[in-house]
Amino acid sequence: MNKKKLIIPKQIVTVNPEMEILRNHGVQIENGIIVKICDLKNFDYKKYSGDIYVLNNLTMLPGFIQTHVHLCQSLFRGLADDMQLLDWLQKRIFPYENNHDKNSLKLSAQLGINELIESGTTTILDMGTMNHQEVIFEEMIASGIRGFSGKCMIDENDLYPTFKETTEKSLSSTYELAKSYHDSDNGRIKYGFAPRFALSCSENLLKETLEFMKDFNGSLYHTHSSENGGEIAAVKRKYGKENIEYFDSINALSDRTVLAHCIHTNEKEVELLRETQTRVTHCPSSNLKLGSGIADIPNYLERGISVSLGADGAPCNNNLSIFTEMRLAALIQKPIHGPTAMDAQTMVKLATIEGAKALHLDDQVGSIEVGKKADLILLDIDQTNNSLLNDDANIYSDIVYSSTKNNVSEVMIDGKWVVKESRSSLYDPDELTSNGKKELAELLKRTGIN
Ligand SMILES: [Zn+2]
């Protein structure tokens, strides 16, 4: 039941165009939509017919949005540490993904979604995997999380040749999945076409996928680009161009394209990103852990390029909390650009409204405004690890620099609670861990890697 609700928090960090912070206000929700943000001064509680939640120790924010994750990799956390990208793919991630069966993939998606919602992320752009992709869609539907996913498309693979399929199979199965799942579950689930990266896709595959997108209004083109020095050198050998210049040459850059990373880019490529309004997902933890480099995000933002955040996969992070990404995205730029770069308010925007804009969902999510979906989180930022003030002047700093997933108390998607008192109402953590261990043991046996 999606009953009428009135939520009364201590304060509302709206992330609306005025960046208002409201106190003594309540948010009214009907059928999963924010229908009113009311001043409580003259509010007649007796006349209100829905459920009233008085949460006046909690701070309300729009749900966080991550524009690059890999649910299929959650099971592999801690199994591929201290490696560089191409080794990491070749020796671990491709073999593991290749050996997913439906059960291990389901557990992986459950682990990922559980961690994401418990740390306040309500919308994702997921890069799926090559086999059994329907399992990820079904789990996203069952969980209530909002977002895009797509079968990972690989028709060339010099790194790990067994993990690929024919161009025809990749294209036809992708098309079928998009037909089944794009705009499913009342439009909450959408298709993000997912050619893995330039090195694992033929030009034909990359181009045909662009053609497919025209049949699926609101879908996205989601891939990796310019992450690692070895990768861009190999792209240059393969296609004779820098990675983003190559994507431009096949008309793959547009406001419907989301490129994860974009670390190693030249001036011409940065200009291409700006001109085409291509979306950049910044994944600072992953970029540091794989030793890939630091993307020049302040430059991108100054040029008006769309930037949002993602945790990437569990084996290259190794957690999926947006709090880590916001904090790191700010901190890693300060030694380069000075302490005023990437301020805390900017980080909250990148994790909310800018993510929504990147996915073309900003008419639905990303801020707390009338008419938007009730994707809301409530943080307890009155804990001992928080600022003692948390007033307008330092509330963003308290969220970005001091808070962690442990500050997330309640989470709602489409007007339905999915986290209550810091615990996911979808999954039992003990079951996830014990079933996850069992599935992982079997997957490792299938893979043959110790
Ligand atoms: Zn990735």
Side-chain angles (χ1 to χ4, degrees), residues 351-377:
T352 54
I353 191 66
E354 292 304 320
K357 287 180 190 166
L359 305 179
H360 297 266
L361 296 179
D362 49 311
D363 58 336
Q364 299 181 36
V365 293
S367 61
I368 299 175
E369 295 180 81
V370 171
K372 287 203 177 186
K373 306 272 188 191
D375 287 12
L376 309 169
I377 64 172

Side-chain angles (χ1 to χ4, degrees), residues 93-347:
I93 301 307
F94 282 159
Y96 293 150
E97 278 194 40
N98 190 43
N99 281 286
H100 257 315
D101 65 13
K102 288 186 178 190
N103 292 334
S104 62
L105 186 57
K106 185 178 166 116
L107 245 299
S108 197
Q110 289 179 336
L111 283 164
I113 293 169
N114 184 66
E115 184 180 359
L116 286 162
I117 58 168
E118 282 192 345
S119 50
T121 291
T122 53
T123 297
I124 55 171
L125 170 56
D126 175 60
M127 175 157 292
T129 189
M130 196 175 82
N131 302 314
H132 320 298
Q133 171 61 29
E134 70 284 357
V135 172
I136 292 180
F137 279 116
E138 292 297 335
E139 198 56 43
M140 285 175 71
I141 290 171
S143 69
I145 198 165
R146 186 182 308 285
F148 297 71
S149 185
K151 173 194 166 96
C152 181
M153 304 172 81
I154 300 178
D155 68 341
E156 291 181 359
N157 197 340
D158 291 343
L159 291 170
Y160 189 72
T162 40
F163 191 52
K164 67 175 177 189
E165 52 193 6
T166 64
T167 311
E168 294 68 39
K169 174 142 191 251
S170 184
L171 288 168
S172 62
S173 54
T174 290
Y175 198 87
E176 286 308 309
L177 281 162
K179 269 206 302 197
S180 302
Y181 291 105
H182 182 58
D183 262 336
S184 61
D185 217 24
N186 206 18
R188 209 187 67 250
I189 304 297
K190 296 189 191 297
Y191 207 88
F193 291 91
R196 185 91 174 211
F197 69 146
L199 293 183
S200 67
C201 299
S202 66
E203 186 160 299
N204 189 20
L205 186 83
L206 292 168
K207 284 179 167 172
E208 285 298 316
T209 307
L210 290 165
E211 286 302 308
F212 277 8
M213 280 181 68
K214 296 174 185 161
D215 293 348
F216 301 96
N217 197 21
S219 65
L220 297 170
Y221 194 80
H222 175 208
T223 188
H224 298 91
S225 185
S226 318
E227 179 175 3
N228 168 286
E231 170 211 11
I232 57 167
V235 171
K236 204 160 189 182
R237 283 196 299 276
K238 186 177 177 190
Y239 289 117
K241 292 188 173 68
E242 298 297 332
N243 208 338
I244 289 168
E245 290 182 81
Y246 171 66
F247 282 135
D248 180 57
S249 75
I250 58 163
N251 296 318
L253 299 182
S254 82
D255 66 347
R256 289 272 159 195
T257 295
V258 182
L259 298 181
H261 309 305
C262 300
I263 299 167
H264 305 282
T265 52
N266 63 30
E267 171 57 28
K268 190 178 163 203
E269 291 178 291
V270 175
E271 221 12 57
L272 284 171
L273 292 173
R274 188 192 64 77
E275 274 170 25
T276 57
Q277 298 181 49
T278 298
R279 281 47 178 150
V280 172
T281 304
H282 180 40
C283 308
S285 294
S286 166
N287 297 163
L288 292 179
K289 184 158 179 282
L290 290 165
S292 302
I294 296 175
D296 193 359
I297 301 300
N299 178 33
Y300 292 175
L301 290 175
E302 202 173 300
R303 311 265 284 251
I305 295 168
S306 160
V307 176
S308 46
L309 300 176
D312 210 349
C316 61
N317 189 309
N318 292 1
N319 75 63
L320 304 181
S321 164
I322 192 102
F323 290 96
T324 313
E325 302 312 301
M326 288 194 292
R327 179 182 157 85
L328 263 187
L331 297 192
I332 59 175
Q333 302 295 345
K334 294 182 188 288
I336 305 165
H337 294 274
T340 58
M342 303 290 273
D343 61 278
Q345 189 186 90
T346 300
M347 290 304 103

